[in-house]
Structures are given as C-alpha cells and as structure tokens.
Amino acid sequence: MPEILRDLGFVIIYKGNKGYIKLEHPDLLLEFLVLEKGRGIDKPFPLPKLGVNAVALRFLGFLSSNTIKVEIEDFYVTLPHPANFALHKLIIFQRRLRQDKAVKDKSIAIEILRSLIDKGESAVIRQVFNSVPQKWQKRVINGLSKSEDKDILAIIENAK
C-alpha cells in the first residue's frame, strides 16, 4: 500500500523510533489504527498484507460503534459520530503523557460538544454517554469537572 500511495503523492513517515507508519499528503494524513486490547503493546502492530505498521489505540471500538457518512467531493468517508469522538477525547486526554496533546484533546472535545449542544443534540450526547461502561463514564465526568464548561457536565450528569 505505501508504494501505491507514494505514486499518488503520499510521503511515508516513520513516527517515533518504533516504526509506526504515517502516509502524508498535502490534502490528507493516513494513520493505521488497530484496537488495543488487554495491557496493550508499546510497539507497532504489523499489517503485512497492507505493508504497514499500525498503532494500537485504546477505546477504538467506541469510535467505530457509532458512525456517520460525510460526502467529500465525489465520495463518502465514514467517521465516528462527533459525540463518540468528543467523549473519546475526554477519556484519553487524561491518559496522555504529553501535556500539549492532552490540552488539545480536551479543547477539541469541549468544542465539539458545545457545537452539538448548539445544534440541539444534547440527547445524542446523553445517549452516547449512557452507552459506555461506568468506568468510562467516570473518566468523562472527571475530565469535564476539570473544565470551566459546567453546562456540558450538567447534560452528562442528567444522563444517568
């Protein structure tokens, strides 16, 4: 796959010193992700049929459990529902080792949740929140309680 995409203008980037592969194009960045299970792994997950190494990502199943299709030019892209994406970010920002990435994740999550609320989709946020295990719910509440955005926290807490 990297060789095919190289012909389309992608550049192969090895992320870190462990062999994770990203394919970068001026219009698109491709990363290969697999679900991290158990204790997790701290090395690339080989996908030999694709010729790439993937990053194992915790909670990936949550992102793929509720998706939307977005039309971009003449094709469709499947993306996590914004509520899932935002709640995922609230869970993982607390696990980040790099503070700058944690701040960015939290900020993006809150911005997306505010947009959903502004569009009248508070019920969707509550529904997605109720779909996750209690341990994850506690992480979301913990992440929101560290923010100044109490209206989002109120919506989440009313979900129970």
Side-chain angles (χ1 to χ4, degrees), residues 65-78:
S65 68
N66 183 19
T67 60
I68 59 172
K69 288 196 186 296
V70 177
E71 186 175 4
I72 300 175
E73 294 181 13
D74 58 344
F75 64 95
Y76 287 89
V77 177
T78 302

Side-chain angles (χ1 to χ4, degrees), residues 22-151:
K22 283 185 182 182
L23 297 167
E24 198 170 285
H25 185 277
D27 299 325
L28 183 66
L29 172 69
L30 292 176
E31 280 189 276
F32 297 87
L33 307 173
V34 294
L35 179 63
E36 183 178 69
K37 297 178 183 177
R39 292 182 177 221
I41 56 173
D42 190 27
K43 59 183 181 178
F45 186 91
L47 298 172
K49 290 183 179 181
L50 296 177
V52 297
N53 293 325
V55 175
L57 184 65
R58 184 72 60 189
F59 311 111
L60 187 62
F62 178 53
L63 291 175
S64 62
S65 68
N66 183 19
T67 60
I68 59 172
K69 288 196 186 296
V70 177
E71 186 175 4
I72 300 175
E73 294 181 13
D74 58 344
F75 64 95
Y76 287 89
V77 177
T78 302
L79 301 171
H81 188 283
N84 289 63
F85 183 79
L87 295 179
H88 179 266
K89 289 291 186 187
L90 286 174
I91 293 168
I92 66 167
F93 95 83
Q94 300 168 73
R95 301 169 55 95
R96 292 276 194 197
L97 299 177
R98 289 185 43 195
Q99 188 63 24
D100 60 327
K101 285 192 171 197
V103 168
K104 182 179 175 185
D105 283 345
K106 181 178 170 186
S107 174
I108 288 170
I110 289 172
E111 185 177 335
I112 291 169
L113 291 171
R114 281 186 192 145
S115 293
L116 289 170
I117 291 166
D118 290 346
K119 291 183 178 191
E121 296 192 29
S122 298
V124 174
I125 297 169
R126 282 191 287 273
Q127 179 184 6
V128 172
F129 177 79
N130 283 330
S131 75
V132 300
Q134 281 191 342
K135 188 174 179 181
W136 296 12
Q137 290 179 359
K138 288 178 185 174
R139 289 182 180 166
V140 168
I141 290 170
N142 184 50
L144 284 170
S145 65
K146 295 176 183 176
S147 79
E148 299 298 317
D149 212 315
K150 301 303 178 199
D151 57 327

